[in-house]
Amino acid sequence: MVMVCYYNHLLTPVGGVRFSIAKPSVLRAETNNPMASDLSSDRSVFRGVSSSSPIRRRDLVFIVNPRGANGRTGKEWKKLLPYLQSRLGSDCNICESLTSGPSHAIDITREAIREGADAVIAVGGDGTLHEVVNGFFWDGKPVANWNTEAVHSTALGLIPLGTGSDFARTLGWKNDPREAIDRIARGVRSRIDVGVISREGEGSHYFINVADIHLSAKAGYYASRYKKFGNLCYVIGALQAFIGHHNQDLRIKVNEGEWQTLSQVTALCVGNAKYFGGGMKITPNADPHSGSFEVVILRDFKWYDFILKLHKLYNGTHLSLNNVTSKNVYTIEVDEISGSGSIFIQSDGEHLGFLPRKLSILPGAIEMIC
């Protein structure tokens, strides 16, 4: 079946037929297939069936980071295509888009939602998922379907194939792409929370997993340079971050209350989900269906504390330590006291810059295929 994709990006319908944009609202099919010769100019993501068909096929857009996990994502995706076609091809119009660089997945996601896709599926690790989630929003608001009469919304899907699959761990999913395709085939949806990070004078940034501040964020910044080593990159990043590290006094404002001072903060983690850093259960009580964050604060940790207590951080039992606190919040503002401008913040493993920042929960902001 020929499926025509309408985007400002080159997309490939699974099956090998390639389409590209000739000009706005005009599609050019790069194929000799006579089935693709009659293309209309109305705005639609796919034209796999006629408008008179009694059964509407689901339009699914798979956003793939082919360079993820040192190229393993692209190779695994190719191996996965036959199974994907066998499970979804009879009921869905399937289109893939290979990202070409940072933020590309954001742009593709926004275009897919505006064109009325039933689901946008992130294929890769937490970085690709992070970009797709950000693509669900624009200028501080959810992206909307151009067709105001549409009866369906665009759902988020995930096929974990990258270096890290921390969000999938929270949902109890195995790192099994075929199992993920089976979930997509069933199409069951559930609303999940999303975190939004803001700073005066800057645009909003969204996250689905964990945002973190100071040492852990600095470690994530360095870890991103060593992705070729797989999950070992998180260990290397942490070791490098410890060089020259100093615990810092911070001030926080919780749920629009009064400012309070926290002394000797090592790391402050805001969890919409439980895991980060390749399986570390840092916010063990976080739940993306709860409507609130779990905030975990580590204070006055020394380098040897991480060696002695690393197992507790990974299995989620660190909340029992005297210098670890946890609280549920809806909003939290975090600022430094020293004024150095050097306290790192990241979300879902992506470096965002430095404090100050405000983090807020958006309950049930996205429908996810689960």
Side-chain angles (χ1 to χ4, degrees), residues 163-277:
T163 301
S165 300
D166 284 319
F167 186 75
R169 286 187 178 94
T170 290
L171 300 179
W173 295 349
K174 299 176 183 177
N175 198 19
D176 183 343
R178 292 195 172 206
E179 185 177 282
I181 291 172
D182 293 340
R183 278 194 300 272
I184 295 165
R186 291 191 296 269
V188 177
R189 296 182 175 199
S190 176
R191 287 210 164 267
I192 60 169
D193 308 334
V194 172
V196 57
I197 303 174
S198 57
R199 180 176 182 173
E200 188 175 352
E202 297 184 6
S204 298
H205 197 90
Y206 301 86
F207 68 99
I208 196 172
N209 201 42
V210 177
D212 53 301
I213 292 165
H214 203 21
L215 179 64
S216 55
K218 189 176 181 181
Y221 173 76
Y222 289 124
S224 65
R225 304 177 179 182
Y226 303 104
K227 286 295 182 77
K228 64 182 180 181
F229 296 109
N231 281 342
L232 186 61
C233 70
Y234 301 113
V235 177
I236 299 172
L239 292 173
Q240 190 168 353
F242 263 117
I243 300 174
H245 169 76
H246 299 285
N247 296 324
Q248 294 282 349
D249 295 345
L250 301 178
R251 63 182 193 134
I252 65 170
K253 182 192 288 188
V254 173
N255 298 338
E256 309 296 345
E258 299 295 324
W259 284 100
Q260 53 185 293
T261 299
L262 300 175
S263 62
Q264 295 298 294
V265 174
T266 305
L268 187 152
C269 303
V270 181
N272 185 49
K274 301 179 188 298
Y275 297 90
F276 79 161

Side-chain angles (χ1 to χ4, degrees), residues 2 6 32 35 48 76 108 119 125 153 184 186 227 231 240 255 258 261 293 329 332 354 366:
V2 174
Y6 183 101
N32 294 321
M35 293 177 64
E76 291 298 319
I108 298 169
S153 61
I184 295 165
R186 291 191 296 269
K227 286 295 182 77
N231 281 342
Q240 190 168 353
N255 298 338
E258 299 295 324
T261 299
F293 295 127
V329 311
I332 181 169
F354 307 93
I366 293 178

Side-chain angles (χ1 to χ4, degrees), residues 334-345:
V334 188
D335 199 358
E336 61 173 309
I337 293 176
S338 67
S340 66
S342 61
I343 307 297
F344 284 67
I345 179 170

